[in-house]
Amino acid sequence: MPSTTGAMPSPAGSSHEDPSMPGMDKMAGGNGLSDSQNGYRLTSSTATLPVGTKASYRFSVTGPDGSPVTAYAVDQTKRLHFYAIRSDLTGFQHFHPTMAKDGTWTASLDALTPGAWRVFASFTPDSGPGKGTAFVLSRTVTVPGSASQTPLPAAAGSTTVDGYTVTVNGELRAGMEHPLTVTITKGGKPVTDLQPYLDTYAHLTAFHAGDAAFAHLHPTTMVDGDHGGPDLSFHAQLPKAGNWRLFLQFQTAGTLHTAALTMNVG
Ligand SMILES: [Cu+2]
């Protein structure tokens, strides 16, 4: 189902400057499970990565003319956001690869466990017919070895990471935009020293149990120095019903924390 954020203000720091759509982001839609959309394709010759060690994944994005895209708009301070997730939604990785002049990206993955993985690239071309359109494309990668599946943790309204308790509030329905509020506390006290991370106080991504469909939840809380929290607001639009694994990343005192919890979408 196509999703659009056309009615939503661009997050702070978005460099999308297409004069025909001031302050708006276009999205190619979809759930991130395809390697191609609107003529843009995520290409890689890598189908297998080694187990238990850092590994490089090289890829490029080709445009409708078949040549690698080299011009990218900056979104949340980066030209391309890269994610990896195992089929059981464990092993979440999110980082920012580097691009060679010819449009070849190299992502350095942390050690992977055996199993089926999906890697995602989230980007907005800054030239060509897709200029200003946000894409999420993905490919699968196999890590050899005997793969044990971790059952998805039960849906929960809160979780704890590094001593921080993260509570998520919001009733979500598939395909509809809903507000989602995240509250962060530590030792029962509201946390108010969140630092900006990628132009936000919390970066929130979600993957659908069963097929690893992808969603990025857009923050609506603007950053203003190293004193974010405890409440953070998001626009949540998850494309399908079922259980989603949410990964919330936030930074305090220079350290990045990643909280994960399961949320049911009706
Ligand atoms: Cu990113």
Side-chain angles (χ1 to χ4, degrees):
M1 173 183 310
S3 65
T4 174
T5 54
M8 203 163 75
S10 212
S14 168
S15 73
H16 172 49
E17 288 169 0
D18 181 348
S20 68
M21 292 192 63
M24 293 184 180
D25 287 337
K26 290 182 284 181
M27 280 178 72
N31 50 26
L33 291 177
S34 177
D35 67 346
S36 64
Q37 195 154 29
N38 298 2
Y40 286 81
R41 182 175 294 273
L42 181 62
T43 64
S44 177
S45 58
T46 301
T48 304
L49 286 172
V51 62
T53 181
K54 278 188 173 284
S56 287
Y57 182 80
R58 289 159 68 85
F59 63 96
S60 60
V61 176
T62 53
D65 65 358
S67 59
V69 175
T70 55
Y72 294 86
V74 172
D75 176 44
Q76 292 204 284
T77 78
K78 303 293 179 184
R79 293 186 297 169
L80 187 141
H81 298 260
F82 187 91
Y83 305 90
I85 195 90
R86 212 170 80 124
S87 59
D88 60 358
L89 308 187
T90 62
F92 172 78
Q93 295 187 32
H94 166 210
F95 52 86
H96 307 101
T98 53
M99 189 188 75
K101 282 201 180 74
D102 68 355
T104 303
W105 293 88
T106 302
S108 301
L109 289 142
D110 288 332
L112 300 167
T113 52
W117 289 76
R118 188 169 281 277
V119 294
F120 297 81
S122 166
F123 60 90
T124 301
D126 202 28
S127 65
K131 180 181 163 86
T133 299
F135 289 86
V136 180
L137 303 177
S138 69
R139 298 180 64 86
T140 53
V141 178
T142 301
V143 177
S146 111
S148 59
Q149 294 286 303
T150 302
L152 188 75
S158 72
T159 189
T160 299
V161 60
D162 305 337
Y164 292 90
T165 299
V166 173
T167 305
V168 176
N169 278 301
E171 281 282 314
L172 302 187
R173 294 261 168 256
M176 299 171 65
E177 193 171 298
H178 288 272
L180 192 73
T181 305
V182 171
T183 303
I184 303 179
T185 59
K186 189 175 194 181
K189 297 200 177 82
V191 167
T192 57
D193 64 344
L194 298 179
Q195 297 176 321
Y197 167 66
L198 302 177
D199 255 351
T200 174
Y201 286 126
H203 187 279
L204 189 46
T205 42
F207 300 86
H208 185 249
D211 61 4
F214 174 94
H216 177 238
L217 283 67
H218 293 266
T220 52
T221 303
M222 293 299 138
V223 292
D224 177 26
D226 286 359
H227 45 76
D231 298 318
L232 307 168
S233 301
F234 295 83
H235 279 298
Q237 187 171 11
L238 301 176
K240 51 172 84 175
N243 283 322
W244 288 77
R245 192 75 173 151
L246 266 61
F247 293 91
L248 183 107
Q249 298 183 282
F250 61 96
Q251 184 174 304
T252 55
T255 299
L256 187 64
H257 312 284
T258 302
L261 58 79
T262 302
M263 192 158 190
N264 187 261
V265 173

